[in-house]
Amino acid sequence: MSIQIVIGKNFGDEGKGLATDYFSGKAQKQDRSCLVIRHNGGAQAGHTVDLPEKRFVFHQLSSGSFRNADTFWADTFMPDLYKLPEEIADFSALHGTIPKIYGHGNCRCVSIDDVLINMALETSRGEKRHGSCGMGINEAVERSKDGVFGITLKQLCMMTARELYCRLSEIRKEYVSVRMAQLNLQFGQIGEYGELLKNENVLYNAAETMSRAASLLTISEGTIVNAYDEIVFEGAQGLLLDETFEVFAPHLTSSRTGLYNPMKFMKKYLQKEKAEIVYVSRAYVTRHGAGPLPYEELWDKRNMTDQTNVYNPWQGNLRFAPHGTVKEFLEPVQNDLLWNTSEHRVSLMVTHLNETKGSVCSTVDEIAVQEWCNHEMIHEVFEKCYLSGSPYAEDIYQMSVR
């Protein structure tokens, strides 16, 4: 069995979709079955995969779907079944197939009210926004904490649409008002969000959609991995947004973005296997959303655009900055590798090199990527570099650094 763990090194948007497509494509070429494990975050992820003839942005389906890889939601993933049918329909219309989706029964499900509260809260912050995508992830975490108001994937799949509607109504009646008070939100002062949080048709339609979506997936434990030749862990967001990375609090995500979840999963289901940990970074740094972006003020050399991370009302425009020194570049990786207790191999993937003429942009200088990867400190951490100078997985090439 071959295992890759794809992790974003920075604030997200590094190219994790490209990396997952690359490793899934290698499995497909070798006629080996592949399962991609989504293990953190939820529908707020937006991983773009480009093929010469088509492009798709994956949210809950895996970025290996073009390569016939199946998707598994680990118990630390937070699915939004209200949004799932649209993504499946769009992918099927583009690609002609519907990928297999498996989900652990203990996944905490996002509800429509989680999303509405999230949107209302982020809007109320005005210029002091935290950078949330407005997808309800943190609200689902908070609601599910003591289990009283949580809905697991297994529970949801066992309910009829009517039963789910009743459960959502119960949660709205007994929890939502309490949560709104905790957040100092008043129904009459949050505009359309307040109206939607009182509208029973919103819950009814959500329950109907979520119930239909449940028929599109199969509940499965993590032992499903034993049925596959290749496993790819597809992370979401990046190390600098991990919920424990207090340097950039409160502008963080409510999940573990690095090795923590994959190592926990492997300890339970893949104890005897070795993995390749692949940290992904653009040749420069980006941040979509509010919060600090070190050295952003130094990014005045080029007018950079990005087709996949356009302006949105929740996170604004994509922001750009150079990397710091090699030492600064490595610090979040070295901190994350404290979870690498089984001495798995470690690699680096540098993407978007076509936008920088093959250089890594740092505060020191613009350094040719080959020179960057040959730096002594890079050698100490990574065994191999994957280099990408186009949006396509087929153009990725390898460079040994040891």
Side-chain angles (χ1 to χ4, degrees), residues 239 241-247 252-253 255-257 335 339:
L239 292 179
L241 292 176
D242 187 281
E243 65 184 8
T244 67
F245 200 80
E246 297 182 357
V247 174
L252 304 173
T253 187
S255 70
R256 303 303 302 270
T257 61
N335 182 62
W339 296 105

Side-chain angles (χ1 to χ4, degrees), residues 103-150:
H104 195 287
N106 290 339
C107 287
R108 296 161 292 177
C109 294
V110 175
S111 76
I112 189 68
D113 281 358
D114 294 330
V115 175
L116 293 172
I117 293 172
N118 184 182
M119 289 181 171
L121 177 61
E122 190 71 351
T123 300
S124 73
R125 289 173 173 150
E127 295 182 358
K128 297 182 179 180
R129 290 188 177 191
H130 288 181
S132 169
C133 297
M135 293 290 192
I137 299 299
N138 184 64
E139 288 306 315
V141 170
E142 293 296 324
R143 176 176 52 78
S144 304
K145 275 185 174 177
D146 59 10
V148 176
F149 297 108

Side-chain angles (χ1 to χ4, degrees), residues 58-127:
F58 294 96
H59 301 286
Q60 300 184 81
L61 299 179
S62 85
S63 296
S65 297
F66 277 139
R67 314 295 182 172
N68 298 327
D70 295 334
T71 300
F72 176 72
W73 297 337
D75 60 349
T76 45
F77 185 78
M78 289 175 280
D80 184 338
L81 267 65
Y82 180 73
K83 298 183 183 299
L84 180 64
E86 181 180 3
E87 182 177 357
I88 289 179
D90 289 345
F91 182 76
S92 178
L94 178 67
H95 191 56
T97 64
I98 299 176
K100 293 179 181 177
I101 308 171
Y102 301 95
H104 195 287
N106 290 339
C107 287
R108 296 161 292 177
C109 294
V110 175
S111 76
I112 189 68
D113 281 358
D114 294 330
V115 175
L116 293 172
I117 293 172
N118 184 182
M119 289 181 171
L121 177 61
E122 190 71 351
T123 300
S124 73
R125 289 173 173 150
E127 295 182 358

Side-chain angles (χ1 to χ4, degrees), residues 190-307:
I190 55 175
E192 62 176 331
Y193 303 117
E195 295 300 319
L196 293 172
L197 283 165
K198 293 180 179 180
N199 191 326
E200 287 299 307
N201 286 330
V202 169
L203 292 188
Y204 180 82
N205 292 333
E208 288 282 343
T209 301
M210 295 167 75
S211 184
R212 288 196 303 271
S215 66
L216 302 174
L217 59 95
T218 302
I219 298 295
S220 176
E221 298 297 312
T223 51
I224 186 72
V225 296
N226 296 313
Y228 290 84
D229 302 315
E230 309 275 345
I231 304 295
V232 180
F233 288 88
E234 180 180 1
Q237 293 84 48
L239 292 179
L240 303 184
L241 292 176
D242 187 281
E243 65 184 8
T244 67
F245 200 80
E246 297 182 357
V247 174
F248 295 123
H251 308 280
L252 304 173
T253 187
S254 295
S255 70
R256 303 303 302 270
T257 61
L259 273 179
Y260 181 82
N261 288 341
M263 290 296 97
K264 185 178 178 181
F265 187 96
M266 287 192 67
K267 185 176 181 180
K268 187 171 184 179
Y269 299 109
L270 296 163
Q271 289 182 355
K272 298 180 180 180
E273 302 293 338
K274 290 294 184 181
E276 178 184 12
I277 305 164
V278 183
Y279 290 96
V280 186
S281 174
R282 293 196 190 203
Y284 49 91
V285 184
T286 63
R287 180 159 195 167
H288 209 173
L293 175 57
Y295 307 121
E296 183 177 16
E297 72 280 3
L298 301 179
W299 189 261
D300 59 359
K301 301 176 182 179
R302 57 177 60 83
N303 181 23
M304 192 71 73
T305 59
D306 189 286
Q307 295 180 350

